[in-house]
Amino acid sequence: MTDAPVKLSVADLTKRFGSLEVLQNITTEIRNGEFISIVGPSGCGKTTFLRIIGGLEQASGGEAHLDGRRIEGPGADRGFVFQQDNLLPWRDILANTEIGPEINGALSPEQRRNTLRLLKLVGLEGFEHYYPRQLSGGMRQRVNLARALAVDPALLLMDEPFSALDAQTREIMQTELLRVWEEGRKTVLFVTHQIDEAVYLSYRIFVFARRPGRINEIIDVDLPRPRPLSIKRTPRFVEYVDHIWKLIEEDVRVSVLEEHAG
Amino acid sequence: MTQPDAFSVPGAASREKSFATSLCDFFYQRRWSWGSVFTGLAVWEFVSRVIVGSKLFLAAPTQVLVALFELTVSGELEKHILTSTLEFLVGYSVACVLGVGLGFIMASSKAGKQSLQPWVSGLYATPTVALAPLFILWFGIGILSKVVVVAVLVVFPVTINTETGLRTTPTQLVETVRAFGANARQIFFKVSLPSALPFIFAGLRLGIGRGLIGVVVAELFGARAGLGQMISQAAETFNMPNLFAGVTVLAVAGIAMTSGFTWLEQKLLPWRE
Ligand SMILES: Nc1ncnc2c1ncn2[C@@H]1O[C@H](COP(=O)(O)OP(=O)(O)O)[C@@H](O)[C@H]1O
Ligand SMILES: [Mg+2]
């Protein structure tokens, strides 16, 4: 993995909202095909970081390059999987999945075959003409994922995509995500607040600290692949989770207290 | 879905059954509505024939039926219906196009919103139908003045609903297509407009009732033909059966258009609950 070419490079990235410094001097490199998770207490700027990489937000300072090109706005070289599924209620599943290619003028019979293949990949074959309201939360998140993959992005950005699902569905979705990822080996930036989810999925984990948001530590997850769910009960796995939890425990405590104090 | 009422058409589900069975079902399922309607008509018949006893003050349902028949045979009713329909359709269509356009301007520009808002709110709340005599003075007793009255009455609910619909487009949905690189035009046609359609439809449905009132009132104040003119003429000659015949036609038209609209909405917006 360390010899793969650099996909995303971030240099001195800083973000301020008024006087609030949300991200401070983020510098990192992500290699092609890596699965990176970002964990950290709420409010540490994880979403903001992802939105800047996605081009939905302007950085206040520093820059990010994807495949050597400077990121200046949104584009079809990135696929965003949002926390809420954000499916368009008036479009059926097929039309929702194809919105990215449609916007970029890339609809074709070939694209249609690819879209159908993706829907099959995420286990939604036969649901192409259902409307979003007819699907369960887990199924809608699969569409959300297929939609992001439909533009064949160089980088997949996922912001707590499973946080709204119940615990069992979430575990299933984690294995499904790994299966989908194994197939295409996309580069993934995955934000989560579930530490075990991060350990289970990732090559590397960026542990963020807050006020201002910054990378506190980078953890290499040295667990074999493919990973069955049972790996979550092995001592090595639990050690990783404990270690990361210790890193952010104090921060989480403070952020929870702040939230309760209003 | 609203509760089925006495006037809605039986659904597709009953299509497989025999016609007679489904007809029986249709009446049985709505037995209280039918009972209520027939009781009302019977009371009306009784009151007008026995208690009032004079066609100069009240016409019985059967007398209204006879009047409807005679007016149809003489060709008079068709003439009036044609005139009113034309006035309604032209005024209503103009108002729809104008209302959606104004709503769009108000939703997409701050200057547009601020300069139009006082007029729209003010004129929507004003019973502008009272200005009908003025429009007749300006535009004559022909069709044009009625078209204007209908348009003025219908345009505001359409404007307000279009604006609300466009303005309440969920920002996450806009953000989602923006993340795929959508430009302003694509955001409008792929997100804002479809998300506003249910609101726009609601405005158009509100407009039906207001438009009908507009046609009739404008015709009452002066016209050569039309249902309003027929009603006003009947009133002047104390011809109650003809007066009620006119009102009945209007009621049926209102009900038919509103339920037709609901049906169209379900066809065009099948994704809604
Ligand atoms: N558009 C914005 N305007 C002002 N402050 C914002 C905005 N977006 C996020 N913030 C603030 O930035 C901080 C980080 O937010 P966010 O990136 O959502 O954190 P996380 O995703 O890690 O929970 C929070 O304190 C939040 O209130
Ligand atoms: Mg967040």
Side-chain angles (χ1 to χ4, degrees):
Chain A
M1 188 50 62
T2 45
D3 48 356
V6 172
K7 195 79 186 169
L8 177 74
S9 78
V10 180
D12 262 339
L13 200 76
T14 300
K15 179 67 185 177
R16 281 179 297 271
F17 287 114
S19 61
L20 180 73
E21 185 156 44
V22 177
L23 295 173
Q24 190 188 52
N25 299 94
I26 309 264
T27 299
T28 187
E29 278 188 346
I30 292 166
R31 293 178 177 279
N32 191 24
E34 268 197 295
F35 197 119
I36 306 276
S37 286
I38 300 176
V39 298
S42 93
C44 72
K46 305 182 294 291
T47 296
T48 306
F49 179 66
L50 221 58
R51 287 172 56 85
I52 293 175
I53 303 301
L56 291 171
E57 200 93 64
Q58 266 337 102
S60 314
E63 50 193 41
H65 288 83
L66 178 61
D67 284 325
R69 280 188 305 276
R70 191 188 162 128
I71 292 174
E72 271 158 353
D77 51 353
R78 280 146 291 158
F80 216 117
V81 181
F82 294 85
Q83 189 164 5
Q84 267 80 43
D85 55 73
N86 292 355
L87 299 179
L88 303 177
W90 51 86
R91 286 181 172 240
D92 65 13
I93 298 314
L94 186 64
N96 260 296
T97 311
E98 260 181 353
I99 185 125
E102 182 182 323
I103 283 168
N104 293 286
L107 285 183
S108 66
E110 200 189 327
Q111 173 64 50
R112 171 60 49 87
R113 275 196 297 279
N114 186 38
T115 309
L116 292 172
R117 187 187 62 82
L118 285 171
L119 284 173
K120 190 174 173 186
L121 183 68
V122 298
L124 286 177
E125 196 179 20
F127 289 93
E128 290 84 1
H129 298 295
Y130 280 59
Y131 284 100
R133 71 174 161 86
Q134 299 172 297
L135 302 191
S136 68
M139 292 162 96
R140 293 163 64 118
Q141 278 303 353
R142 290 161 195 261
V143 182
N144 193 1
L145 176 61
R147 174 177 63 187
L149 290 170
V151 290
D152 195 21
L155 179 64
L156 197 55
L157 303 166
M158 308 182 75
D159 189 4
E160 304 197 22
F162 306 147
S163 62
L165 306 177
D166 63 77
Q168 283 87 31
T169 312
R170 190 188 310 138
E171 294 221 310
I172 300 299
M173 291 299 287
Q174 290 166 2
T175 60
E176 300 275 293
L177 175 60
L178 276 190
R179 189 172 57 77
V180 170
W181 176 78
E182 295 284 350
E183 206 211 54
R185 291 279 170 158
K186 296 256 173 238
T187 316
V188 182
L189 257 181
F190 186 95
V191 168
T192 177
H193 60 253
Q194 303 271 143
I195 296 171
D196 72 314
E197 184 168 89
V199 176
Y200 178 68
L201 295 171
S202 318
Y203 274 94
R204 289 195 292 157
I205 299 172
F206 294 178
V207 182
F208 270 45
R210 65 198 294 272
R211 297 287 152 86
R214 61 196 184 278
I215 299 178
N216 185 12
E217 196 168 319
I218 296 177
I219 315 277
D220 281 295
V221 183
D222 197 7
L223 292 171
R225 286 180 190 271
R227 299 172 180 169
L229 268 179
S230 57
I231 205 171
K232 291 189 176 184
R233 291 187 295 274
T234 61
R236 289 278 305 285
F237 190 95
V238 177
E239 254 171 56
Y240 277 118
V241 173
D242 277 348
H243 176 63
I244 296 169
W245 173 241
K246 289 213 180 69
L247 283 173
I248 63 174
E249 189 175 9
E250 193 49 41
D251 258 359
V252 170
R253 233 179 265 291
V254 174
S255 90
V256 168
L257 286 177
E258 271 179 17
E259 266 168 30
H260 280 264
Chain B
M1 270 293 287
T2 48
Q3 282 291 307
D5 56 43
F7 305 103
S8 57
V9 191
S14 51
R15 201 167 293 154
E16 286 106 46
K17 293 184 239 163
S18 86
F19 183 73
T21 327
S22 56
L23 202 67
C24 283
D25 264 13
F26 176 61
F27 283 102
Y28 184 75
Q29 290 302 329
R30 298 164 178 77
R31 58 192 182 282
W32 292 104
S33 299
W34 289 111
S36 161
V37 169
F38 281 117
T39 311
L41 289 174
V43 171
W44 178 5
E45 187 81 31
F46 177 79
V47 169
S48 62
R49 289 212 186 248
V50 181
I51 301 183
V52 177
S54 161
K55 268 210 263 188
L56 293 180
F57 290 102
L58 187 63
T62 46
Q63 292 165 335
V64 176
L65 271 179
V66 171
L68 275 171
F69 180 74
E70 283 169 354
L71 284 166
T72 311
V73 169
S74 72
E76 204 183 335
L77 190 61
E78 291 91 322
K79 180 191 74 181
H80 293 304
I81 290 181
L82 207 67
T83 307
S84 294
T85 305
L86 187 68
E87 294 162 347
F88 178 86
L89 282 185
V90 176
Y92 187 80
S93 312
V94 168
C96 290
V97 174
L98 207 64
V100 172
L102 286 175
F104 172 66
I105 293 172
M106 288 177 71
S108 46
S109 117
K110 194 174 165 195
K113 163 91 176 166
Q114 286 191 0
S115 47
L116 288 172
Q117 186 69 61
W119 296 98
V120 172
S121 311
L123 288 171
Y124 182 50
T126 312
T128 34
V129 74
L131 295 175
L134 182 70
F135 289 127
I136 288 166
L137 201 66
W138 286 353
F139 301 110
I141 62 165
I143 284 179
L144 183 61
S145 53
K146 284 79 190 178
V147 167
V148 173
V149 173
V150 172
V152 165
L153 278 171
V154 176
V155 74
F156 296 112
V158 178
T159 305
I160 289 170
N161 276 43
T162 305
E163 198 236 337
T164 311
L166 290 173
R167 204 171 277 283
T168 52
T169 304
T171 48
Q172 321 92 271
L173 296 186
V174 173
E175 188 104 279
T176 305
V177 296
R178 206 159 73 78
F180 287 110
N183 58 33
R185 196 179 52 84
Q186 287 172 323
I187 289 174
F188 178 76
F189 283 108
K190 293 188 196 300
V191 182
S192 310
L193 189 61
S195 138
L197 275 184
F199 287 84
I200 297 177
F201 267 89
L204 296 179
R205 197 160 1 91
L206 270 175
I208 291 174
R210 289 173 63 96
L212 278 178
I213 292 174
V215 167
V216 175
V217 173
E219 285 173 354
L220 287 178
F221 282 115
R224 288 193 204 94
L227 288 166
Q229 192 261 349
M230 185 185 109
I231 289 170
S232 113
Q233 210 176 37
E236 278 163 21
T237 56
F238 295 95
N239 187 342
M240 289 307 122
N242 274 13
L243 186 149
F244 279 103
V247 173
T248 306
V249 171
L250 286 168
V252 170
I255 292 162
M257 278 195 281
T258 311
S259 32
F261 220 85
T262 309
W263 177 83
L264 194 71
E265 231 174 314
Q266 279 162 5
K267 283 280 152 211
L268 292 179
L269 312 173
W271 49 275
R272 298 210 298 158
E273 315 285 317

